[in-house]
Amino acid sequence: MGRGTLRIYLGAAPGVGKTYAMLAEAHRRVERGTDCVVALVEHHDRPRTEVMLHGLEQIPRSEIDYRSAVFTEMDVDAVLERAPAVALVDELAHTNVPGSRNAKRWQDVEELLRAGIDVISTVNIQHLESLGDVVESITGVRQRETVPDEVVRRADQIELVDMSPQALRRRMAHGNIYRPDKMDAALANYFRPGNLTALRELALLWTADRVDEYLQQYRGEHDIRTTWQARERIVVGLTGGPEGRTLIRRASRMAAKGSGSEILAVYIARSDGLTSASPKELAVQRTLVEDVGGTFHHVIGDDIPAALLEFARGVNATQIVLGSSRRKTWQYIYGPGVGATVARESGPDLDVHIVTHEEVAKGRGLPIARGARLGRARIVSGWLVGVAGPVLLSLLLRSLENGPGLANDVLLFLFLTVAAALLGGLRPALASAAVGVMLLNYWFTPPTQTLTVQDPENFVAIVIFFAVAVAVSSVVDLAARRTHQAARLRAESEILSFLAGSVLRGETALDALLERVRETFAMESVALLERASDVDPWTCAGFVGPAPVARPDDADVDMPVGDNMALALSGRVLPAEDRRVLGAFAAQAAVVLDRQRLVSEADRARRLAEGNRIRTALLAAVSHDLRTPLAGIKAAVSSLRSDDVAWSPEDEAELLEGIEDGADRLDHLVGNLLDMSRLQTGTVTPLIREIDLDEVVPMALGGVPEGSVDLDIPETLPMVAVDPGLLERVVANVVENAVKYSPGSEPIAVAASAHGERVELRVVDRGRGVPDEAKERIFEPFQRYGDAPRGAGVGLGLAVSRGFAEAMGGTLDAEDTPGGGLTMVLTLTAAPGREQAQDRAVLPAEATS
C-alpha cells in the first residue's frame, strides 16, 4: 500500500476559516463518492463551523485520564481500523495529553499517512517551528505548540486561507470567533491590526517559498531553461576578491526594494585544483551573505561566464550583480572579461548589473595556479605564436622588396620566440626557436632557399640566435614556474594557517571542515570514513556534498589517517602535489572528530556524576529522612496494637495524629522525589490554561498553620497562563519553606501584583535570610540551608518549585527582604482575556483551529 497524501490549510491567525474550508472540501469529496471521515475536528462552539459537521461520519474520540480530569484525543487505532480513503484531522500542531499514543498530533497524522490514508489538516503560521521567535517578537506571545517546518513542507498540497485584518476583526466583532465576554480583550491584544498584518505577511511569504519549490520542480521536469520572472532573484558573482563585500551589500539594497526578493551569492572555482581566492576572504563573504538573509553557493566550472549563466538560469534568477573588472588596461588582450561576456550572453530575460568598487583597474594580482600550468588557452596561443608566427613573418619579410637585413630579421624572429615563451612556456618557445632557425637559414641566409651557410658570420648569427632564444625561453619559463610556485605556497600557507587557527580556537564543527576541503580542492563530495579494525566495514563519521562514497576504494582520492580512518573525496583525480595539504586537512578532521567525541564523553561523564550525586543524596534521604516518619508510624501502630497498656481515648487520638502526621510527611517527601525525577527526565508536560491566582493560591495554603500567612491578591489582577496543578505545588512548597524559616510570631506575606505582561507573586518571610552567594544554591536538589534539622525534608522543595515554574514559562528567584528575611519572587505570564485549552501557551483555544 502506498503512502497517503497530505493536504494542509494554512492560515495566518485563528478565525480565518481553515476548519470551515477543510469541512467544505470534505463535503465536496463525499458528494463525489469519496470515503471521507472526521477523525478529529475542533469547532470551538462556532455555529457556522459546527453546522458543517452535519452529514459527515465522525470517529469517536478516545478518553484519557490525566490529573483527575478526562481529556479527549483522536483515536488513532479507531481511524486505522476504519481505514477511510480520507481523514480530517484538525490542529496539526496540537500537543496530545500525556498518556496518548504519540506526543504530537502530527505524529498521529504520520501514522495515518504511512497506512495509506489521505489526510486533510489545518495549521496556523505561528505554529511553524522556525517562526516561533519571529511571532513572539511581533505578538509578545511564545508558541508552545509547534510543528516542524519539514512536516508541513512535505505536504502534497498547501492551500493558504487568507483574510484581510479588517475583515477578520469584523468577523471577531460579530461574535463569529469568540464569545462576547472575550471579544474586547482579544481585539485589544492579539488581534490588533498590526499583529494580524505581520502574521498575514509571514503566511504569504512562507507559502510563496513553497510555491517556488513547486515551480523549480516543474521547470526541472520539463527542462525549461529560460527565466520566468515570477520572483526577483539576484545572483551575486564573487571572485573571492575584496570587492565581494561591496557587491553583496549592493545586492542587499536592491533586494530590499522589492518584498520577497532573494539573494544568491555564487563563487565559481576552476576544476584544476586549489582555488584562486583567499579562503579567509571567502569565509568573510559567506558570513556577510548569511547576515543579509542570502545563501552562499560553491560551483565548479572552467568557463566562468558559462557556469555563472548556467547557475543563474538554473535557479530562475532575474538579475546578476557583477563587479567592474580589476584588470589593468593591457590585460584586456586576454579577452573581454567575465562581466562583458555575461552581459553579452545573458539574453533579454536576465538583467546584468556591473557595480563599480574601489579595486577597479588595480590589477587582479598573481593567480594561484597549480605548478606551472598556464591553462589550455595560453598554451594553445603559445604554440600558435611559436610555430605559425615565424611562418607568417617569413611570408611578410619575403614580400618586401628591400628587407630590413639579416640582423633585424634575427631580432624579429627572436621577438616571436620570447612571445611564445611568455604565453605557452618552454616547449612552444623551443619549437619557435627551431622553426625560426630553419626559416632564417632557408630564406634569409645566402645562399637562399638552401640549408647551407656560406658566410661564417651568418652561421655564428644563427647559432647565437638559437642559443639566445633557448636561454630567454628557459628564463621566462623558470620565472613563470617560480611565480606559480610562490602563489601556490601562499595559498597553502593560508590554508595551513586556517587549520592551525582552528586548532587553537578549539573549533569542533566537522561538517564545516569537510566543506572547506570540498571548496579548496573543487570536489563534489567529501566523507570521513572509519572502521573499528581491518576486518570491520567502513562507516561514515561525517560528509558533505551529494552521494558520498561508502569505502575509500570507491573514492577518486583517499587520504589515510592512521590504520582505520580515511578522508575520501569524489569528483576528480587529485594531483600528487596537493596531497600534502590534503594530509593536513585529514589530520585535522581526525582531531576534530576525536574532540567531538571527547566533548560528548565529558558531557556524559558530567551527567553520570550529577546522577551519582543525586543518587547518593537520595540514598541518604531514604536512609534517614524517610525512615524517621516511618519509625514514628511504626512506634505509634505498635503502641496501639499492644495489649499491655490500656490507652485512653486522648492517648489513642494523639497516637493516631502522630500516624497521620508521619504519613503526610512521607507523602510530601515521596511526592517531591517523584517530581524531581520527572524534572530530571524532562517528562513534565504542563497543561496551560487561563486562571485567576485567587483560585489557586488559597488552595496551596492548606498545609500551613492557620494564621501563619497574610494573603493579598487584588481582584483586579489579570489572569495568568499556567498549569493550575503545577502552580499549586510551586506555591505550596515555597510557602511551607517560608513558614519553616520564619519566626513563629510573625506571619509570612503572600502578595501579588501585575507588571505589564507579567504577574509577580511574592512570598515574604522575616527569617534570617540567605547570603547572596547562596541564593542560587538553595534551588539545587538535596540542598538544606544552614542548620536545618534532619527530618525537615530532603532539600527538594525549592528545586522542584523552580523546575515547575520554568516548565510553565515563569521564573522563581530569591531576593532579600527589606529589614531582614528572604523574599521568593514567582513571575508568571499574564494572559488577559485569552482562553487556553490544554497546552496552548497564551493564545486563544482556537489558535490551532
Side-chain angles (χ1 to χ4, degrees):
M1 179 181 295
R3 179 181 173 88
T5 60
L6 175 61
R7 178 172 183 168
I8 293 178
Y9 287 92
L10 176 69
V16 295
K18 301 178 303 302
T19 304
Y20 189 94
M22 178 179 67
L23 293 172
E25 174 65 20
H27 281 286
R28 285 192 293 271
R29 297 198 182 199
V30 170
E31 291 174 0
R32 295 196 299 265
T34 304
D35 182 15
C36 184
V37 302
V38 175
L40 188 145
V41 167
E42 300 284 359
H43 57 75
H44 299 293
D45 297 326
R46 296 171 183 167
R48 295 177 182 273
T49 305
E50 189 173 3
V51 168
M52 292 296 293
L53 286 169
H54 297 167
L56 297 175
E57 178 186 351
Q58 299 187 47
I59 303 294
R61 304 187 187 187
S62 62
E63 295 184 350
I64 300 175
D65 292 329
Y66 182 70
R67 290 188 177 177
S68 302
V70 177
F71 299 89
T72 61
E73 294 289 358
M74 180 174 67
D75 193 336
V76 180
D77 290 327
V79 179
L80 292 175
E81 183 179 356
R82 171 64 174 75
V86 180
L88 307 186
V89 182
D90 206 3
E91 301 185 3
L92 186 63
H94 170 76
T95 299
N96 294 329
V97 174
S100 301
R101 182 189 188 97
N102 296 300
K104 304 288 287 188
R105 185 166 292 166
W106 65 263
Q107 295 171 328
D108 296 336
V109 169
E110 283 294 317
E111 286 197 40
L112 301 183
L113 294 174
R114 286 195 296 268
I117 300 174
D118 294 344
V119 176
I120 304 177
S121 188
T122 64
V123 71
N124 276 332
I125 192 68
Q126 66 263 24
H127 294 290
L128 296 180
E129 183 69 43
S130 65
L131 299 178
D133 294 339
V134 179
V135 173
E136 183 180 12
S137 65
I138 295 171
T139 65
V141 175
R142 181 64 182 181
Q143 300 301 316
R144 294 187 179 276
E145 288 191 326
T146 59
V147 58
D149 288 45
E150 185 59 28
V151 173
V152 182
R153 286 188 177 276
R154 285 201 307 264
D156 300 275
Q157 297 180 57
I158 298 178
E159 182 171 334
L160 178 65
V161 182
D162 188 29
M163 179 175 289
S164 68
Q166 294 77 11
L168 183 56
R169 285 172 59 84
R170 283 196 302 270
R171 177 179 289 184
M172 172 82 70
H174 292 158
N176 295 331
I177 301 178
Y178 291 155
R179 297 193 305 272
D181 59 328
K182 303 295 183 182
M183 187 188 309
D184 292 339
L187 289 173
N189 291 278
Y190 190 82
F191 285 84
R192 293 194 300 268
N195 288 359
L196 297 178
T197 302
L199 292 174
R200 186 188 189 199
E201 182 177 18
L202 280 178
L204 291 170
L205 291 176
W206 195 93
T207 308
D209 286 337
R210 180 59 174 157
V211 172
D212 185 66
E213 293 177 10
Y214 285 132
L215 178 61
Q216 294 295 343
Q217 180 180 354
Y218 179 85
R219 285 167 52 84
E221 291 174 352
H222 293 78
D223 196 25
I224 299 173
R225 309 303 300 164
T226 58
T227 298
W228 289 359
Q229 299 186 7
R231 180 179 179 183
E232 289 293 340
R233 281 187 181 81
I234 305 173
V235 171
V236 184
L238 301 179
T239 64
E243 79 282 359
R245 305 183 202 182
T246 302
L247 302 184
I248 294 169
R249 294 188 180 99
R250 182 70 180 95
S252 176
R253 293 194 296 272
M254 294 169 58
K257 296 178 180 179
S259 179
S261 298
E262 185 178 355
I263 300 175
L264 302 95
V266 57
Y267 171 72
I268 301 175
R270 298 185 184 276
S271 61
D272 59 351
L274 291 173
T275 63
S276 60
S278 166
K280 182 189 229 178
E281 182 63 29
L282 273 181
V284 172
Q285 294 177 14
R286 178 195 292 268
T287 302
L288 180 58
V289 169
E290 293 171 353
D291 289 343
V292 299
T295 56
F296 184 91
H297 303 268
H298 184 271
V299 177
I300 299 172
D302 291 322
D303 189 340
I304 304 297
L308 182 60
L309 289 170
E310 181 72 16
F311 174 83
R313 293 190 175 107
V315 299
N316 199 27
T318 58
Q319 302 180 59
I320 298 178
V321 176
L322 299 173
S324 297
S325 179
R326 286 186 284 136
R327 292 182 177 187
K328 293 183 180 297
T329 303
W330 63 269
Q331 289 178 316
Y332 281 96
I333 63 173
Y334 299 122
V338 174
T341 304
V342 170
R344 184 180 67 245
E345 300 179 1
S346 62
D349 55 353
L350 193 57
D351 298 335
V352 179
H353 303 266
I354 305 298
V355 179
T356 59
H357 49 85
E358 295 180 353
E359 304 297 323
V360 174
K362 291 186 178 180
R364 296 181 59 86
L366 294 173
I368 302 174
R370 308 174 57 75
R373 298 182 181 180
L374 301 175
R376 180 179 299 177
R378 288 190 59 178
I379 292 176
V380 171
S381 300
W383 280 102
L384 289 175
V385 172
V387 177
V391 176
L392 295 176
L393 179 60
S394 299
L395 295 176
L396 177 62
L397 294 177
R398 290 289 296 174
S399 65
L400 299 177
E401 294 182 2
N402 297 317
L406 181 60
N408 292 327
D409 295 340
V410 170
L411 292 177
L412 291 174
F413 277 95
L414 182 60
F415 171 78
L416 291 177
T417 301
V418 173
L422 290 172
L423 288 174
L426 181 60
R427 292 182 181 179
L430 293 178
S432 178
V435 173
V437 167
M438 296 292 293
L439 293 175
L440 281 172
N441 188 6
Y442 190 82
W443 291 110
F444 303 105
T445 304
T448 59
Q449 299 184 6
T450 65
L451 295 179
T452 59
V453 181
Q454 292 181 348
D455 190 343
E457 293 182 1
N458 295 338
F459 179 77
V460 172
I462 292 175
V463 171
I464 292 175
F465 162 75
F466 185 76
V468 170
V470 171
V472 170
S473 302
S474 300
V475 170
V476 171
D477 184 72
L478 181 61
R481 288 176 181 274
R482 293 292 182 264
T483 300
H484 294 312
Q485 289 173 1
R488 176 183 173 79
L489 290 175
R490 186 183 69 182
E492 291 184 3
S493 66
E494 288 183 356
I495 293 172
L496 295 176
S497 175
F498 160 76
L499 289 176
S502 65
V503 172
L504 295 175
R505 291 189 297 269
E507 296 178 358
T508 58
L510 181 61
D511 291 344
L513 181 64
L514 296 181
E515 180 65 25
R516 179 59 59 87
V517 175
R518 189 173 76 92
E519 293 181 0
T520 298
F521 296 99
M523 289 294 182
E524 294 180 0
S525 64
V526 179
L528 183 62
L529 307 176
E530 62 175 348
R531 58 183 178 181
S533 64
D534 294 339
V535 297
D536 291 320
W538 290 94
T539 60
C540 183
F543 71 92
V544 293
V549 298
R551 300 183 308 159
D553 296 340
D554 300 332
D556 294 318
V557 180
D558 70 284
M559 173 58 66
V561 186
D563 296 330
N564 299 314
M565 187 176 292
L567 194 63
L569 293 78
S570 299
R572 63 186 181 84
V573 178
L574 201 64
E577 59 265 28
D578 281 346
R579 294 186 69 85
R580 179 179 63 175
V581 178
L582 181 60
F585 270 114
Q588 176 64 6
V591 170
V592 168
L593 182 61
D594 289 341
R595 184 181 293 125
Q596 285 182 344
R597 290 174 175 171
L598 287 174
V599 170
S600 178
E601 291 177 1
D603 186 57
R604 285 197 298 270
R606 181 189 58 78
R607 290 197 299 267
L608 287 174
E610 179 67 17
N612 288 334
R613 187 185 70 81
I614 292 178
R615 279 191 291 271
T616 301
L618 181 59
L619 287 175
V622 171
S623 64
H624 187 280
D625 296 283
L626 296 181
R627 290 179 64 185
T628 299
L630 279 175
I633 294 173
K634 174 67 175 176
V637 171
S638 298
S639 299
L640 288 173
R641 289 174 56 89
S642 175
D643 298 331
D644 299 336
V645 180
W647 301 102
S648 65
E650 293 80 7
D651 293 335
E652 288 183 358
E654 184 177 353
L655 290 173
L656 289 174
E657 184 180 359
I659 293 174
E660 185 178 10
D661 290 342
D664 289 341
R665 287 177 58 190
L666 277 178
D667 179 69
H668 182 74
L669 293 174
V670 172
N672 276 339
L673 289 173
L674 292 177
D675 289 339
M676 196 66 231
S677 67
R678 291 169 58 203
L679 289 171
Q680 292 288 335
T681 56
T683 57
V684 176
T685 305
L687 300 178
I688 305 297
R689 67 184 181 89
E690 180 186 292
I691 196 169
D692 287 317
L693 277 180
D694 56 8
E695 296 181 27
V696 179
V697 175
M699 299 174 59
L701 305 181
V704 298
E706 186 176 355
S708 60
V709 176
D710 286 339
L711 189 61
D712 180 17
I713 300 181
E715 295 182 357
T716 58
L717 275 182
M719 305 177 81
V720 292
V722 295
D723 183 313
L726 295 184
L727 178 59
E728 183 178 344
R729 294 294 304 277
V730 172
V731 176
N733 282 344
V734 173
V735 170
E736 289 174 6
N737 187 77
V739 171
K740 184 190 308 178
Y741 289 99
S742 184
S745 59
E746 292 193 30
I748 67 170
V750 178
S753 58
H755 301 274
E757 296 184 355
R758 313 293 287 179
V759 173
E760 286 187 355
L761 183 69
R762 308 178 77 87
V763 180
V764 183
D765 68 59
R766 293 295 178 178
R768 57 192 180 89
V770 176
D772 291 339
E773 62 272 11
K775 281 188 172 62
E776 285 299 315
R777 195 164 62 249
I778 62 176
F779 292 103
E780 296 178 3
F782 302 104
Q783 295 292 321
R784 289 188 184 89
Y785 177 67
D787 55 354
R790 301 295 295 183
V794 293
L796 286 177
L798 292 182
V800 169
S801 297
R802 172 172 275 191
F804 283 172
E806 293 176 348
M808 294 185 294
T811 60
L812 180 62
D813 299 295
E815 298 178 357
D816 291 329
T817 301
L822 186 69
T823 298
M824 304 299 292
V825 182
L826 174 62
T827 306
L828 303 170
T829 302
R834 300 171 189 176
E835 294 183 359
Q836 304 295 330
Q838 297 181 16
D839 187 19
R840 281 169 174 64
V842 288
L843 277 181
E846 297 83 348
T848 57
S849 65

